[in-house]
């Protein structure tokens, strides 16, 4: 009889090793290894039987039948936009996000907005009565929503086969389990096995499936990385605990553009779509103060106006503070160095605080120019016109560089009532009612 083999597996990435390790060599996480017992495989399986011909034949691409109308809408514009125009029939999606961000609420709202869609909701985290209570808040009647609290993957699958729902929701993949495995629900092995089975049912039975997944403290989806390879679409639901807006971001999409975002706001009666996000992120300050400047960033294909706020004040410590929230700290240090060297402004002995209004996290280099002008404005205590937008990447030489989607950004700025724009040389604002003030170098700003 084959011997059972003991192995150790990383709970974060699924890397295996013959002995226990304190730190995983694949993902560098500490203390994630746990013991797993591999079932002995039958030796027959391993031999490739060349005598039996395979029943599945390869087919030519031209002969593959395909209908274009294989999508159906969730009736939530922002959600459809992120999916690339609605759910694709028979697709497998993964929705990740911090606890309490609103993943379950979002799925209940899909049920609310699509009364004609038959939805099977596998609730591993809440009881049916808790879901009903929550549904009451968003006005969900739920005639089309079937709740199942059985999280054994075998019965989930047989139920889905029998029931043939238009949408199968697994809330969450960390709570479903297969009793053929000895490990606990939520372990790497269980997640891998269960999602592989869900993939099978999605593809073979054409049941559109959405799995909800937890995220780790670093913001990755908990469980093995292969989970993200296995699914067709990976969505991240993110936002700030202290703010009410929520961003639904697509990080992988086999059927549409990736990096698309949808914006929602969490209200007492559920998530509301935000059709004009720029209004959400511009600060409500009535009086202009020094240190504020406006930029336009791109989130996917979507321009959003945001306000950058800087505060530069004399430091009472020998090492001045540099703090950024919503912006990369190292990028801030770099821009401070560029400002000192190329525009002869000294920030030595000054504490620098940078904040993106509304709690948004931005990584678009087009915001550099606004950061530079906010810093300079706060340092010199001169107010930047609030109807001016600053768009441009700043290079180490102090030059203002071109950024992509300039026309879309300008159009959004015009829509929001901006009168003036500062950007790189040769910026054109064809048929827009915006006055241009090009800047080749950051020194041209002052
Ligand atoms: P939930 O969907 O349970 O989050 P997840 O499934 O991602 O863990 O979100 C619950 C949070 O949303 C909770 O903190 C309460 C809040 N909420 C509202 O503010 N308004 C509402 O109408 C609903 C239903 C929830
Ligand atoms: Mg939930």
């Amino acid at each position: 009889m084959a011997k059972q083999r003991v192995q150790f597996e990383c709970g974060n990435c699924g890397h295996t090793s013959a002995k226990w390790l304190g730190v995983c060599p694949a993902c560098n996480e500490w203390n994630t290894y746990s013991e797993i017992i591999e079932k002995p495989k039958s030796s027959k399986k391993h031999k490739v039987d060349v005598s039996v011909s395979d029943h599945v034949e390869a087919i030519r691409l031209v002969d593959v039948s395909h209908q274009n109308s294989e999508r159906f809408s969730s009736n939530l514009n922002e959600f459809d936009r992120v999916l690339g125009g609605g759910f694709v029939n028979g697709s497998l999606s993964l929705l990740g996000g911090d606890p309490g961000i609103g993943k379950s609420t979002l799925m209940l709202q899909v049920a609310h907005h699509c009364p004609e869609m038959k939805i099977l909701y596998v609730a591993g985290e809440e009881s049916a009565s808790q879901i009903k209570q929550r549904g009451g808040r968003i006005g969900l009647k739920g005639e089309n929503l079937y709740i199942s609290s059985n999280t054994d993957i075998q019965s989930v699958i047989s139920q889905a086969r029998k029931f043939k729902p238009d949408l199968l929701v697994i809330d969450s993949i960390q709570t479903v389990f297969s009793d053929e495995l000895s490990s606990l629900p939520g372990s790497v092995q269980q997640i891998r096995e269960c999602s592989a089975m869900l993939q099978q049912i999605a593809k073979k039975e054409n049941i559109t499936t959405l799995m909800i997944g937890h995220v780790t403290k670093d913001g990755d989806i908990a469980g093995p990385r292969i989970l993200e390879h296995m699914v067709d679409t990976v969505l991240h639901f993110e936002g700030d605990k202290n703010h009410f807006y929520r961003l639904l971001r697509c990080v992988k999409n086999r059927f549409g553009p990736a990096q698309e975002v949808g914006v929602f706001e969490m209200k007492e009666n559920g998530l509301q779509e935000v059709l004009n996000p720029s209004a959400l992120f511009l600060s409500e300050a009535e009086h202009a103060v020094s240190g504020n400047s406006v930029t336009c960033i791109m989130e996917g294909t979507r321009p959003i106006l945001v306000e950058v706020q800087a505060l530069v004040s004399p430091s009472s410590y020998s090492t001045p503070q540099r703090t950024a929230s919503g912006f990369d700290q190292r990028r801030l240090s770099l821009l401070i160095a560029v400002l000192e060297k190329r525009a002869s402004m000294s920030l030595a002995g000054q504490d620098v605080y940078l904040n993106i209004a509304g709690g948004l996290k931005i990584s678009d280099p087009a915001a550099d120019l606004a950061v530079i002008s906010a810093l300079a404005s706060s340092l010199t205590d001169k107010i930047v016109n609030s109807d001016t937008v600053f768009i441009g990447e700043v290079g180490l030489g102090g030059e203002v560089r071109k950024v992509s989607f300039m026309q879309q950004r300008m159009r959004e700025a015009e829509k929001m009532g901006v009168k003036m724009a500062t950007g790189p040389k040769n910026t054109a604002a064809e048929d827009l009612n915006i006055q241009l003030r090009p800047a080749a170098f950051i020194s041209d700003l002052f």
Side-chain angles (χ1 to χ4, degrees), residues 56-94:
V56 185
E57 291 210 349
I59 52 171
R60 287 195 306 169
L61 188 61
V62 285
D63 300 332
V64 176
S65 66
H66 159 79
Q67 294 120 21
N68 244 342
S69 57
E70 279 179 345
R71 280 184 190 271
F72 59 95
S73 166
S74 68
N75 289 348
L76 283 168
N77 284 335
E78 293 292 297
F79 195 27
D80 279 353
R81 173 215 298 280
V82 176
L83 290 170
F87 287 105
V88 173
N89 262 335
S91 64
L92 178 65
S93 315
L94 179 63

Side-chain angles (χ1 to χ4, degrees), residues 93-145:
S93 315
L94 179 63
L95 171 65
D98 284 332
I101 207 78
K103 303 179 293 294
S104 311
T105 308
L106 181 65
M107 292 329 294
L108 291 185
Q109 282 195 271
V110 170
H112 178 50
H113 281 87
C114 303
E116 71 293 342
M117 200 153 94
K118 201 161 77 169
I119 299 176
L120 178 60
Y121 192 101
V122 178
E125 309 212 320
E126 291 145 308
S127 67
S129 68
Q130 282 169 328
I131 292 175
K132 182 157 179 108
Q133 188 190 359
R134 173 119 44 109
R137 282 177 80 173
I138 60 172
L140 168 74
K141 283 209 199 73
E143 279 155 357
N144 58 332
L145 184 65

Side-chain angles (χ1 to χ4, degrees), residues 353-416:
Y353 303 97
L354 190 81
N355 180 40
I356 307 301
L360 194 67
K361 290 184 182 63
I362 62 175
S363 56
D364 189 341
D368 288 356
L369 200 59
V371 172
I372 289 275
S373 61
L375 290 172
S377 157
S378 182
L379 181 68
T380 56
D381 210 12
K382 286 193 183 131
I383 295 171
V384 180
N385 256 346
S386 62
D387 56 4
T388 306
V389 67
F390 294 85
I391 305 167
E393 185 182 345
V394 173
L396 291 186
E399 77 279 15
V400 181
R401 307 170 71 103
K402 272 206 195 107
V403 293
S404 49
F405 302 108
M406 202 61 184
Q407 271 298 312
Q408 282 98 315
R409 293 178 203 255
M410 296 287 240
R411 210 167 297 132
E412 177 74 9
E414 189 200 27
K415 205 175 86 190
M416 294 304 296

